[in-house]
């Protein structure tokens, strides 16, 4: 292994000799127990793949509900699928696609629109008539022609989602990307009675009416009577900018009424910067702590499970020129994404409005940062608006590292986890069924959540849905980009007592040595990337790896101390945004694994006596070697993704027929719409859009917690 010497300092000073000379019999027994535990998990359930944040023509997407669900579950073969979308109101009938353009790029680089390959927009007033629209007319858009989202959820979205799930026999349900009071967006869902013989999505419609800040309807939902306490209702309060308390109240309402089958996971959390009281934008760490507390299933156990159990720090929009939609010249926390993930999980951040040394940010300092970024990154972007386009308190700075906001939450012992999403809307400059994208990937095409579901292989039924939600709630999940891996077992054992992701291993320091065991599948075949040319990021270091056949290069095991819950009255509740103890415990290079076909296996033995404090262990892996220029630091931390502006895409696009649609593009060539960086020699095209997403792949596994106790039993 490559980081043995780090073990000594990290785990309390055990000698390297003691580490390397753990008794062979104890090591063999614990390793065998770990493998047996992983096998038992596979026998008792399955890691099912899914997505819970995406959009249709009900809100701001381009495809109908049925098109989206079928494409996600049948073409990209997701096991479970929660169809979401914004709250508020909308004017389009989401039983129909709204594909306004079919595009291709001519040989001279011009984007050509082919209207013959589009379809007409269908509006509610044209399909069901204005008289069928319910709720207050005021606020329903110009002329009252919009439908309130609660109506479309209950009467139109739910039937299509349920019918698609029944036909495909996939675990599908209706969710919502709610407009969070005081903040931006949250992915949430309530299974409620969606899987009943005569199912309904009443609970989803009621949540949207009561709590979505985009919904200003005061009708009570007409016949649905949403505010009636007999229907689990409460009096609706007005939507006011910066009203964080209403967001917290919505989590408490979920916990009170739907504790066993609801979830509340903050979406693309870093995108809108730090929180300000006069807007509905950013999210700070204290708000995450508030949500977690409000959703606790047992308020007396702050380390227990909660309905507010995580954040989508790997956003959708991975093929946008601003990866994830995180712009560098806005107050985006950390300036952008790092290896496709936001700074709250993939980098280190400051308190809003402060520099890393704790001093207040100034316009002069932000101007200096903008100049540094411009000099380091270059390319077509400019940062002239960086220091002036938002109020300074919203800025939260970022730098590569692992002492993250996520680690601050885990360092309290909170069950708070990492998730991804597709955030599907459209293909950007292209039609939804074309291979290129300058915006989104379809659900299942690129990002997948693997959630452990006990006793089920999926299917359209309540048990499968509840087990998927429970798998996410307890943290037995991992997230993968671009099928970098397709199976993962991550287990720790002391003797025959074991734990996996989201679980707690109770370690007796006088007992057997502890084994950390990993087994993963790195598939040999192609992923869904349309490109067959060699990965430009890896060509920088002389490696020729086709873009559609990625190879796992290394895995980092990351650990940190658990020191206990911070009380809301403590100033650290707002200021503690990192965990000083977080370290890379072990790096496992490709050569360090034992390879069995497509499976990679390894184990690390840790002396029991070295466990002197409670802690957690989490994992990340990538196809990027450490110190890859413009991609990773020497420690292996992902760099700000805008550094891809420095990576040439050297394969020239050639199109012998300028009228050839993009559906017949050349997969061996860099797409012609990639931008040019005039600062690089020869002004080449650079890695951007979908090429950047497919080039730089990561997976993240949620943590295993360790509690030091003589009991030595698993929680």
């Amino acid at each position: 292994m490559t980081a043995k010497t780090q073990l000594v300092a990290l785990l309390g000073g055990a000698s390297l000799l003691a580490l390397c000379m753990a008794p062979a019999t104890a090591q063999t027994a614990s390793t065998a127990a770990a493998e047996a535990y992983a096998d038992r998990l596979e026998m008792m359930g399955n890691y099912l793949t899914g997505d819970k944040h995406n959009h249709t023509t009900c809100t701001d997407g381009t495809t109908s509900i049925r098109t989206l669900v079928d494409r996600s579950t049948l073409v990209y073969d997701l096991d479970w699928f929660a169809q979401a979308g914004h709250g508020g109101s909308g004017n389009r009938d989401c039983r129909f696609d709204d594909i306004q353009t079919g595009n291709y790029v001519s040989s001279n680089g011009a984007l050509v629109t082919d209207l013959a390959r589009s379809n007409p927009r269908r509006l509610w007033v044209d399909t069901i008539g204005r008289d069928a629209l319910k709720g207050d007319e005021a606020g329903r858009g110009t002329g009252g022609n919009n439908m309130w989202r609660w109506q479309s959820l209950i009467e139109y979205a739910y039937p299509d989602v349920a019918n698609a799930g029944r036909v495909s026999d996939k675990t599908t349900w209706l969710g919502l990307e709610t407009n969070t009071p005081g903040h931006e967006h949250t992915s949430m869902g309530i299974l409620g009675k969606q899987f009943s013989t005569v199912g309904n999505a009443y609970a989803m419609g009621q949540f949207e009416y009561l709590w979505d800040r985009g919904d200003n309807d005061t009708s009570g939902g007409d016949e649905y009577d949403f505010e009636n306490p007999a229907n689990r209702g409460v009096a609706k309060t007005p939507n006011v900018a910066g009203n964080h308390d209403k967001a917290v109240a919505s989590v408490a309402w979920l916990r009170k009424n739907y504790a066993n089958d609801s979830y509340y996971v903050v979406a693309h959390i870093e995108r809108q910067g730090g929180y300000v009281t006069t807007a509905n934008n950013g999210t700070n760490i204290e708000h995450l702590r508030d949500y977690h507390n409000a959703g606790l299933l047992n308020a007396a156990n702050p380390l227990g499970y909660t309905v507010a159990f995580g954040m989508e720090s790997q956003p959708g929009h991975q093929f946008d020129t601003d990866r994830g939609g995180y712009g560098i010249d806005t107050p985006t926390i950390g300036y952008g994404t790092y290896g496709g993930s936001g700074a709250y999980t993939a980098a280190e951040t400051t308190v809003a409005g402060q520099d890393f040394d704790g001093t207040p940010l100034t316009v002069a300092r932000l101007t200096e940062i903008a100049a540094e970024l411009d000099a380091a990154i270059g390319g077509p972007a400019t940062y002239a608006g960086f220091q002036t386009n938002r109020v300074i308190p919203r800025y939260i700075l970022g730098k590569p590292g692992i002492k993250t906001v996520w680690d601050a939450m885990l360092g309290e012992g909170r069950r708070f986890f990492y998730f991804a999403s597709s955030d599907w809307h459209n293909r950007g400059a292209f039609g939804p069924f074309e291979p290129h994208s300058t915006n989104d990937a379809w659900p299942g095409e690129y990002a997948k959540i693997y959630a452990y579901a006990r006793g089920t292989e999926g299917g359209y039924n309540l048990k499968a849905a509840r087990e998927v939600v429970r798998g996410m709630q307890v943290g037995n999940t991992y997230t993968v980009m671009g099928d970098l891996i397709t199976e993962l077992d991550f287990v720790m054992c002391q003797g025959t007592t074991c734990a996996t992701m989201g679980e707690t291993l109770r370690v007796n320091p006088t007992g057997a040595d502890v084994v950390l065991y990993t087994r993963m599948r790195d598939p040999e075949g192609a992923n869904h990337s349309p490109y067959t040319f060699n990965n430009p990021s890896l060509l920088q270091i002389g490696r020729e790896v086709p873009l559609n056949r990625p190879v796992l290069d290394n895995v980092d095991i990351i650990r940190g101390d658990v020191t206990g819950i911070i009380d809301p009255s403590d100033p650290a509740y707002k200021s503690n945004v990192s965990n000083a103890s977080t370290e890379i415990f072990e790096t496992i290079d490709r050569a360090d694994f034992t390879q069995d076909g497509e499976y990679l296996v390894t184990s690390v033995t840790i002396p029991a006596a070295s466990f002197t404090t409670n802690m957690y262990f989490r994992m990340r892996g990538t196809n990027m070697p450490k110190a890859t220029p413009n991609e990773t630091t020497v420690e292996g931390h992902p760099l700000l993704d805008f550094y891809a502006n420095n990576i040439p895409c050297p394969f020239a696009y050639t199109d012998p027929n300028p009228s050839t649609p993009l559906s017949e593009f050349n997969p061996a060539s860099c797409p012609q719409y990639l931008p040019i960086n005039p600062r690089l020699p020869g002004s080449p095209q650079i890695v951007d859009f979908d090429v950047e997403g497919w080039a730089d792949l990561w997976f993240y596994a949620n943590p295993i917690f360790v509690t030091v106790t003589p009991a030595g039993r698993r929680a």
Side-chain angles (χ1 to χ4, degrees):
M1 305 298 174
T2 57
K4 291 285 192 189
T5 54
Q6 293 182 333
L7 221 79
V8 178
L10 298 184
L11 293 181
S15 72
L16 187 60
L17 179 64
L19 170 68
C20 296
M21 296 183 65
T25 53
Q27 181 177 0
T28 301
S30 294
T31 302
E35 185 173 355
Y37 191 73
D39 291 341
R40 182 168 173 242
L41 286 170
E42 291 183 7
M43 289 188 294
M44 295 179 63
N46 293 276
Y47 284 98
L48 303 181
T49 60
D51 184 87
K52 58 180 171 55
H53 176 180
N54 42 74
H55 297 266
T56 69
T57 46
C58 278
T59 55
D60 52 351
T62 57
T63 49
S64 68
I65 291 172
R66 191 58 186 264
T67 295
L68 177 59
V69 178
D70 287 350
R71 185 89 174 175
S72 304
T73 59
L74 298 178
V75 176
Y76 294 110
D77 199 30
L78 290 179
D79 301 307
W80 59 271
F81 185 74
Q83 200 289 296
H86 296 294
S89 66
N91 65 354
R92 292 180 297 168
D93 187 333
C94 41
R95 296 173 295 180
F96 300 94
D97 293 326
D98 183 12
I99 305 167
Q100 291 295 302
T101 59
N103 299 324
Y104 63 89
V105 176
S106 69
S107 59
N108 65 2
L111 183 66
V112 178
T113 299
D114 184 357
L115 293 177
R117 295 159 63 207
S118 66
N119 68 304
R121 173 169 293 187
R122 307 293 293 274
L123 305 180
W124 292 117
V125 291
D126 299 324
T127 57
I128 65 171
R130 193 172 183 280
D131 291 343
L133 302 178
K134 299 178 179 180
D136 288 345
E137 181 177 320
R140 279 200 330 226
T142 303
N145 290 333
N146 284 10
M147 178 183 288
W148 288 114
R149 187 72 169 108
W150 57 260
Q151 182 184 359
S152 68
L153 286 169
I154 294 173
E155 298 180 4
Y156 297 94
Y158 169 71
D160 273 8
V161 169
N163 288 336
R166 292 188 184 101
V167 170
S168 66
D169 195 27
K170 293 294 184 79
T171 311
T172 61
W173 68 84
L174 188 64
L176 178 73
E177 187 194 6
T178 185
N179 299 294
T180 314
H183 304 280
E184 195 188 8
H185 300 144
T186 299
S187 295
M188 61 78 56
I190 307 170
L191 300 181
K193 296 183 178 179
Q194 293 194 42
F195 292 88
S196 301
T197 302
V198 181
N200 67 70
Y202 180 90
M204 289 300 309
Q206 185 179 32
F207 182 93
E208 192 281 335
Y209 170 85
L210 290 174
W211 304 109
D212 192 284
R213 64 171 165 80
D215 190 320
N216 294 309
D217 184 18
T218 59
S219 69
D222 292 350
E223 74 270 23
Y224 294 109
D225 200 13
F226 289 137
E227 298 185 48
N228 189 337
N231 298 333
R232 305 186 182 186
V234 296
K236 181 173 181 176
T237 58
N239 291 305
V240 179
N243 190 1
H244 170 67
D245 289 344
K246 185 172 181 179
V248 174
S250 75
V251 177
W253 185 86
L254 286 175
R255 187 261 310 151
K256 177 182 178 181
N257 295 295
Y258 299 98
N260 294 321
D261 60 2
S262 66
Y263 57 89
Y264 190 90
V265 177
V266 184
H268 41 67
I269 184 169
E270 302 92 347
R271 188 169 75 179
Q272 288 294 322
Y275 172 75
V276 288
T277 59
T278 56
N280 296 300
N281 296 116
T283 304
N284 296 349
I285 193 169
E286 64 267 25
H287 307 119
L288 300 180
R289 291 174 169 134
D290 287 346
Y291 296 153
H292 188 273
N293 293 344
L296 285 168
L297 304 190
N298 178 1
N301 180 14
L303 300 184
Y305 299 125
T306 174
V307 300
F309 49 74
M311 55 183 167
E312 292 173 5
S313 188
Q314 184 191 311
H317 310 313
Q318 287 284 319
F319 297 161
D320 195 308
T321 189
D322 294 344
R323 193 170 179 181
Y326 285 24
I328 199 167
D329 56 351
T330 71
T332 293
I333 290 168
Y335 323 122
T337 52
Y338 296 74
S341 292
Y344 274 1
T345 59
E348 298 176 6
T349 57
T350 65
V351 176
Q354 293 184 14
D355 210 333
F356 278 99
D357 61 3
T359 59
L361 285 173
T362 62
V363 170
R365 172 59 178 147
L366 290 170
T367 302
E368 180 182 66
I369 292 170
E372 291 171 354
L373 289 169
D374 190 57
I377 298 172
T382 58
Y383 318 114
F386 184 93
Q387 74 276 15
T388 59
N389 68 333
R390 296 290 190 275
V391 292
I392 290 174
R394 288 184 62 190
Y395 285 95
I396 299 179
L397 309 184
K399 64 180 180 181
I402 53 173
K403 303 179 191 300
T404 70
V405 162
W406 184 27
D407 291 277
M409 297 289 284
L410 298 178
E412 294 182 75
R414 293 181 186 269
R415 271 50 183 172
F416 194 81
F417 306 115
Y418 173 103
F419 297 99
S421 77
S422 68
D423 204 354
W424 165 260
H425 288 72
N426 56 65
R427 286 288 219 214
F430 307 105
F433 306 110
E434 296 175 87
H436 290 309
S437 178
T438 59
N439 199 47
D440 298 338
W442 285 90
E445 180 185 11
Y446 182 79
K448 291 185 177 77
I449 299 171
Y450 286 75
Y452 186 73
R454 298 176 304 178
T456 178
E457 295 181 355
Y460 187 77
N461 60 81
L462 179 60
K463 176 178 173 55
R466 278 186 167 163
E467 285 301 322
V468 166
V469 171
R470 182 183 183 279
M472 292 191 290
Q473 183 181 54
V474 303
N476 196 353
T477 64
Y478 58 98
T479 300
V480 184
M481 297 177 181
D483 292 327
L484 179 61
I485 61 172
T486 55
E487 296 177 33
L488 173 65
D489 295 303
F490 177 27
V491 175
M492 293 181 69
C493 295
Q494 184 178 44
T496 59
T497 302
C498 302
T500 189
M501 293 170 285
E503 295 180 337
T504 299
L505 179 69
R506 298 187 183 275
V507 170
N508 182 347
T510 64
D513 290 338
V514 174
V515 162
L516 188 152
Y517 172 86
T518 64
R519 179 175 63 190
M520 60 195 73
R521 179 171 177 255
D522 183 359
E524 295 176 353
N527 60 15
H528 295 296
S529 171
Y531 304 116
T532 60
F533 55 85
N534 286 325
N535 188 326
S537 296
L538 295 177
L539 282 177
Q540 298 178 103
I541 56 175
R543 294 193 184 184
E544 296 184 357
V545 182
L547 206 58
N548 66 339
R549 294 178 179 270
V551 176
L552 180 68
D553 182 82
N554 65 84
V555 170
D556 284 327
I557 308 296
I558 299 166
R559 63 150 299 276
D561 292 342
V562 174
T563 55
I565 290 290
I566 300 173
D567 189 85
S569 63
D570 189 328
Y573 192 82
K574 294 182 178 181
S575 63
N576 184 358
V577 296
S578 66
N579 184 342
S581 66
T582 309
E583 299 283 356
I584 294 179
F585 159 75
E586 183 85 345
T587 293
I588 309 169
D589 289 325
R590 179 87 183 193
D592 294 328
F593 285 96
T594 297
Q595 188 155 357
D596 181 8
E598 293 183 331
Y599 288 87
L600 305 173
V601 182
T602 192
S603 62
V604 179
T605 301
I606 311 168
S610 62
F611 286 89
T612 59
T613 185
N614 298 340
M615 61 186 68
Y616 60 88
F617 292 79
R618 63 179 179 89
M619 184 191 305
R620 71 182 180 190
T622 180
N623 66 329
M624 287 292 122
K626 295 179 185 291
T628 298
N630 304 300
E631 294 284 14
T632 54
T633 68
V634 293
E635 300 86 3
H637 307 320
L639 290 169
L640 185 66
D641 284 319
F642 284 96
Y643 277 82
N645 287 352
N646 295 321
I647 305 174
C649 198
F651 306 99
Y653 181 93
T654 57
D655 184 359
N657 182 0
S659 64
T660 300
L662 262 175
S663 59
E664 302 174 23
F665 79 113
N666 182 356
S669 295
C670 295
Q672 190 149 349
Y673 56 82
L674 292 182
I676 290 172
N677 188 344
R679 298 190 183 188
L680 298 182
S683 299
Q685 287 183 290
I686 57 173
V687 170
D688 203 347
F689 296 118
D690 50 353
V691 173
E692 180 179 356
W694 290 116
D696 182 24
L697 303 178
W698 294 77
F699 78 82
Y700 282 81
N702 279 308
I704 299 171
F705 295 91
V706 173
T707 297
V708 179
T709 171
R713 65 183 184 277
R714 186 172 65 85

